[in-house]
Each structure stands twice: as structure tokens, then as C-alpha cells.
Amino acid sequence: MTQTIVSRFEQMVREHPDRVAVSAPDALLTYAQLSVRANQLAHHLREDGVRAGDVVGLDADRSADSLVMLLAVLKAGAAYLALDPQQPPERRVLMLRESAARVILTRRGKPAGLPASCRVVDLDAEQREIAGRPATVPEVALEPGSLAYVAYTSGSTGRPKGVCVPHRAVLRLVVDEDFVLVRPDDVFLQFAPVAFDASTLEIWGPLLNGASLAVPPAGDLSLGELTEFLRARRVTVMWLTAGLFHRLVDQGIADLPDLRCLIAGGDALSAPHVDQVLRSLPDTAVINGYGPTENTTFTCCHRFTVPLDGAPVPIGTAIHGTQVYVLDERLRPVPHGTAGELYASGAGLAHGYLGAPALTAERFVANPFGAPGERMYRTGDLVRQLPDGTLEFLGRGDDQVKIRGFRIETGEIVAALTALDEVAQAEVVAHRLRSGERQLAAYVVGAPGTEVSSLHLRERLSERLPGYAVPALVRVVDALPLTPSGKVDRAALQLADSQERPELNADYREPGTPLERAVVSLWTDRMETLGIGADDDFFELGGHSLLAVTLIGAIKKEYGIEISPLDFYLDASPAGVARTLEKAGLRL
């Protein structure tokens, strides 16, 4: 493959200059308009000293502007590092410093704690100057192997790992691919945060094939709002995390007549939910997408053609441009039907981890089945080959877990906990809830002579870790259980009771009104936590945005009233939700 993201995009600009490329709350841009705006910003970055191989930070919510920024960085010859606005400042600063980012693009002003070497380019403040730059594509030498972006994932050592993805890996994912076959008349949903590698498919899938992106407003959407957006924008292709997929199906997914392809992944899919979509949307292709960031979003895909009816949920076969191997610990192929570790090779491989040659050498190993010099990535995932040749995901071979589609090394959370003076020991496991979701739980032994607050520990972790990596449950225990060999008994911790009400800022108050009792009942069932009080804070209980969407959907299903995520967050307690419902006219 000789093209780059930039050359392929410019080919689409020549072929479809007047076709809508992006439809977002802040702008509607044709391919020609998007190209011109990106060109001007790219020239502006070049004037600021950005050169080939540099890394540029992006601090933006999903919007048309964020897409202009991405293209501009690439057209300037650099690579982008997308920063999640929800990440703690300490983590963002670590990424910017480690990547040696020269510039950070934003519309928010100067972020806190920015490294001195990193200049802020504020699109609002410098709008006039940017608009005066040339509208032509900058003359920059780019190769398929040039770095396109850096995506950070959780690290077992306590530090996140920067995965370095080249242009060719993105093209292998979205050009001439064989799992969706993007058409110019497609409308893609762009819903994932740009810092999440699913956005690679959502953004470059349409833009490198002449299709259109439909970008919802920034912030959380209720399931009703998301469904209405899909209908209003006539979305034809969308990707959802497994958790959101399950919740959307539970709400009812039949009324999406334009949806021709629904891709879900990031965690194991529920067979009953897959079967329900196949029955509800018989004309929609349903695809399970599997893959680590190190092999650029997808490694394997499986298109469901008939209901599973209780059969295993396959992750499918290798996509175009990828080869996979199921191997034992000595890198020998295992017999069909036998569990082995999955390795991946091909054009989707990342260069490796930023500034971590030893870790890169450990995970990206020589491919004994390929040409000299070829590498393969050790995923750490256990799979087996089914009789029809597809692969079934069996779990991890280490302590890594997936939470709401995000890959998390529990060792990173343990390292963050044991770095605190009041913590002597810690272990983190993932409990499997009745809903099928996983929930992180931390078990902590306090340092001698200290008084440890689980609530305080969660607050400290939220300053260091992204929200999805902060355990929903922190338990302070006298000692961690041990196996006969003296190791921490993680299996015992995974079986430990996780339903007890955690330590909270609010004292327990029994729900006093029928509406408060009704809301507490819904929360108890969905959050799988006992003893919830009327004034208990949703987030202190371990709540997150996806769970909030579930609760909002449950309220709508039960009472016919849909409250907005904003109203939910403004007073996120059962009493607060009850007050919101009362204002909406509900009486029990």
C-alpha cells in the first residue's frame, strides 16, 4: 500500500468535493471545505515549527473542529495525540511530556499544568490568523510508515503506554476492507471519544471512502436521544461498545430503518442480544469486531448470519491485511479446538510503544511464519478455533480486563494505590455482575498506624487515572487472602461479596417518599448494590455515564418520562432524581 491518510483523503476531495463530509452541531462541511480548513490550520502549525515526526496534542470534544484538527496535524506531517477531556490533568500532562508534544490544539484556553515546551494553539483566539493561511495542501513528505497517531492504553507498570500507529495501519483498516465495505452514500455515526481507538474506524472509515460523518452533540446522550439522532441523521453504519450495544438492544432497537451495518465489540457480546438484533433488524448486518489498539482497532471480525441459539459468540476470522495465529507458549500452532494465545501480524501492526523499546520487544516479536524481519503482536488473549474456522474468545492470559470497551491493566491501578502513603497492599479484580458487565473492585490493606478511607482513596485515584479505571468499589480489609503458595488469591477476591453499600460522603437516609423508594429500587437492581440511601451520590456508588444511560432508560420504560443526562447529573441521588420526576409531573 503506497497511500497515506492524507493522499487518500485528498483523492476523496477530488472525487467528491461537494459531498457532505461532516455534519456536526458546530458545522456542516463538504469534502472541499474540510480540506481547505485543515490545510489552513496545517500551514499555521508549520509556521509554529511543527515538522514531520512531531506529535501534536488535541484537546477537543467530538465536533467538526476536532476533525479539522486531526487532518491538519497529519497534513503538517505530524502525528496526533488525542486527549480525553475526562482524563485527570496529571495523566494528560504525563502523555504530553512523554510524547514531547510541540503544540496542543484546543478551543478551551491553556490547560492546567501544561509542559513549558508545549505551545497552545487556540482555534478561537487565533481564528483570524489561521484563516489567512494558504488553502493549498502543504508540501510535506509522508510515507505509509509515517507515524499517524499515538494512542495511550493502560500499563501494568503503573504508567500508560503510548501505542504508535502508522498511516498504513489505518489504511489497512478502512480501505478495501472486507467486513463493512464502506459506500460513498453511507452515513457513519461518530460517537466514540477521539482518544478511544474505535474512533479510528468511525472517522477514517467514512472520510477515506467518500462517505459522511454524523457527529452528535458533545457530552452524554440518553438512549432515547441517541436513537432519535440515528433516525434523524439516517445513520447507516455505527460502532458501539458491547455495553452500549446491550443497553440499546434492551431498550428496543427495531425502529432504525436506515441502519445497514451495526458493529459492536470492545468486550464479549451476549448471544441473546445478538439474536434479538438479528430478529429485530433482519436487513441490518450485525458484526462482532475484536482487536487490540496495537493492531489498529480490529484484528478479527465476524458477521452473524443466523441466530446463535446458545452457541458460542465467535470473534470471527482475520480481516483484510491481517494474519492471526493460535499458539502455545513455545510459539507452536495448537490443534483446532484447543485453547492458545492469539498472535497477529500484517499491515495493521503499530510500530511499538513510545519510548519503551524493551516492552516493544516483549510484545512485538519475530514472526516465525512470515518473511525475515516480519513481526507479530502477542495479544495476551486466549482463543480457540471452532469447527467452521472462526475463533472464539476465551479470556485473558494475564491480569488485563476490559471495562466498557476500555482495556485496563489492573497492575496500573494497584501501582496507583500503593503509591499512596496510607496504602500498604492492594489488589484489583473485576467482578462479573448479573447484567454481564464487569465492575472493578479494589481491596486495600492500610499502612500501619493509618486510618484509611475508601472514599478518599477513590478520590485520589480519580486524580491519577481515567474515570473508567477508577474502581467502582474500594474495600479496606485487614489482610488480602493468600493461596497455599503465598500469592494473593485473586479468585477468592473475585468471589467476594461486592453488593454492600460503600463508604459515602452522605449519611444513610432511608427513602421517605414513594418516588424516592421507586428510584432506590431501580438503582438497587441496576447497580447491584444493597442499602442505597435517598441522598447517596450516584458517582460515589460507582456509577458512570453508561450506567446513567441505563437508569434513565429504565425510568422511561417504567414511567414514560425521559430525563436528560444533564438533569440526572445535576442532582445525582435518588432524592434528586425523584425531584426531577416530580417536576415532570410524575406522582405515585
Side-chain angles (χ1 to χ4, degrees):
M1 187 171 288
T2 59
Q3 286 186 305
T4 65
I5 296 173
V6 172
S7 66
R8 174 72 183 192
F9 174 75
E10 288 304 312
Q11 177 186 333
M12 296 300 102
V13 173
R14 292 190 296 273
E15 294 177 4
H16 313 288
D18 299 321
R19 179 169 289 155
V20 172
V22 181
S23 174
D26 57 324
L28 187 148
L29 300 173
T30 65
Y31 272 84
Q33 291 168 333
L34 178 58
S35 181
V36 166
R37 285 185 55 178
N39 291 341
Q40 291 173 324
L41 181 54
H43 281 289
H44 192 67
L45 292 173
R46 298 284 294 179
E47 287 295 319
D48 258 332
V50 172
R51 293 294 179 263
D54 286 347
V55 173
V56 174
L58 266 67
D59 180 32
D61 292 312
R62 59 176 181 256
S63 61
D65 271 342
S66 67
L67 302 173
V68 171
M69 293 178 189
L70 293 179
L71 272 166
V73 171
L74 297 177
K75 289 187 173 196
Y80 61 85
L81 166 62
L83 302 171
D84 186 341
Q86 305 302 318
Q87 288 172 333
E90 180 179 321
R91 190 180 183 90
R92 290 151 61 90
V93 170
L94 182 152
M95 294 175 181
L96 291 169
R97 284 180 177 155
E98 186 171 277
S99 65
R102 297 283 302 275
V103 166
I104 181 169
L105 289 169
T106 184
R107 294 188 67 174
R108 309 173 194 274
K110 185 175 181 179
L114 194 68
S117 60
C118 190
R119 177 175 123 64
V120 174
V121 172
D122 189 316
L123 266 64
D124 288 335
E126 302 179 40
Q127 182 179 14
R128 181 175 299 179
E129 189 175 358
I130 294 169
R133 300 296 186 190
T136 54
V137 182
E139 294 184 8
V140 177
L142 278 175
E143 301 291 337
S146 297
L147 184 62
Y149 66 85
V150 178
Y152 274 82
T153 66
S154 183
S156 59
T157 62
R159 291 175 65 89
K161 303 173 294 190
V163 181
C164 301
V165 178
H167 283 248
R168 65 167 169 261
V170 177
L171 289 165
R172 156 267 188 191
L173 175 69
V174 301
V175 176
D176 296 329
E177 38 71 36
D178 53 4
F179 57 93
V180 177
L181 295 177
V182 182
R183 307 186 307 220
D185 61 347
D186 273 323
V187 179
F188 257 76
L189 175 70
Q190 204 282 287
F191 193 58
V194 180
F196 187 23
D197 79 335
S199 67
T200 303
L201 172 67
E202 289 184 340
I203 293 170
W204 302 118
L207 289 185
L208 301 191
N209 288 289
S212 177
L213 282 87
V215 184
D220 294 323
L221 301 181
S222 70
L223 290 175
E225 289 169 335
L226 175 59
T227 303
E228 180 55 37
F229 181 86
L230 296 173
R231 284 197 291 259
R233 298 301 179 89
R234 307 190 70 174
V235 168
T236 62
V237 183
M238 70 173 173
W239 185 97
L240 298 175
T241 62
L244 187 55
F245 167 76
H246 296 150
R247 284 167 167 79
L248 194 62
V249 174
D250 287 338
Q251 175 193 266
I253 198 171
D255 191 18
L256 293 173
D258 298 296
L259 189 65
R260 75 173 187 88
C261 184
L262 170 56
I263 311 166
D267 204 346
L269 298 186
S270 150
H273 286 83
V274 171
D275 290 352
Q276 187 172 335
V277 177
L278 291 175
R279 289 191 293 266
S280 301
L281 298 173
D283 297 325
T284 300
V286 182
I287 296 170
N288 187 10
Y290 156 87
T293 302
E294 288 84 348
N295 199 39
T296 315
T297 309
F298 286 161
T299 295
C300 297
C301 284
H302 181 75
R303 183 185 292 252
F304 300 98
T305 54
V306 295
L308 292 161
D309 292 327
V313 181
I315 59 172
T317 55
I319 68 169
H320 167 78
T322 289
Q323 298 80 46
V324 296
Y325 312 96
V326 185
L327 309 177
D328 65 16
E329 65 277 2
R330 297 177 63 181
L331 301 186
R332 299 173 303 188
V334 301
H336 283 200
T338 303
E341 185 172 356
L342 183 65
Y343 287 74
S345 68
L349 284 190
H351 288 320
Y353 299 112
L354 184 67
L359 184 59
T360 297
E362 177 188 334
R363 304 301 297 187
F364 293 84
V365 299
N367 183 357
F369 312 101
E374 284 190 9
R375 303 173 304 151
M376 58 183 185
Y377 174 67
R378 180 183 179 184
T379 68
D381 289 334
L382 300 178
V383 300
R384 66 173 176 174
Q385 195 166 42
L386 298 172
D388 63 358
T390 61
L391 297 175
E392 178 190 4
F393 176 77
L394 300 175
R396 289 291 301 175
D398 54 24
D399 296 336
Q400 192 182 100
V401 296
K402 281 283 189 77
I403 300 291
R404 305 196 298 281
F406 292 95
R407 191 177 75 187
I408 298 170
E409 296 275 4
T410 56
E412 179 176 10
I413 309 171
V414 171
L417 280 166
T418 53
L420 303 175
D421 293 338
E422 60 264 49
V423 175
Q425 291 178 276
E427 191 56 81
V428 176
V429 297
H431 289 299
R432 176 72 74 171
L433 302 178
R434 292 193 307 271
S435 64
E437 301 294 322
R438 287 188 176 93
Q439 181 188 70
L440 288 175
Y443 295 86
V444 172
V445 178
T450 63
E451 188 171 328
V452 184
S453 161
S454 60
L455 179 62
H456 175 66
L457 293 180
R458 287 190 81 242
E459 291 172 347
R460 293 290 302 276
L461 288 178
S462 68
E463 297 169 358
R464 300 173 175 226
L465 301 172
Y468 58 81
V470 176
L473 175 74
V474 176
R475 293 273 187 254
V476 180
V477 296
D478 293 332
L480 296 174
L482 301 178
T483 65
S485 63
K487 295 182 179 180
V488 174
D489 191 343
R490 293 174 55 83
L493 291 175
Q494 286 170 330
L495 293 173
D497 180 22
S498 63
Q499 293 189 317
E500 179 187 342
R501 178 179 182 264
E503 178 187 355
L504 304 174
N505 276 313
D507 292 332
Y508 175 79
R509 179 173 73 83
E510 187 172 347
T513 69
L515 257 181
E516 286 182 351
R517 288 193 289 271
V519 174
V520 166
S521 177
L522 281 174
W523 285 30
T524 299
D525 183 51
R526 272 43 174 211
M527 302 186 80
E528 300 186 30
T529 299
L530 300 176
I532 295 174
D535 301 320
D536 290 356
D537 183 88
F538 171 74
F539 297 100
E540 290 180 12
L541 286 166
H544 50 79
S545 59
L546 190 55
L547 185 53
V549 167
T550 299
L551 293 173
I552 291 169
I555 289 169
K556 181 182 180 183
K557 185 175 182 179
E558 186 76 17
Y559 302 111
I561 295 175
E562 181 167 23
I563 61 179
S564 72
L566 179 59
D567 285 337
F568 185 95
Y569 294 155
L570 285 175
D571 201 349
S573 68
V577 173
R579 284 190 288 270
T580 301
L581 292 172
E582 285 174 355
K583 291 177 184 176
L586 180 61
R587 298 289 185 271
L588 293 182

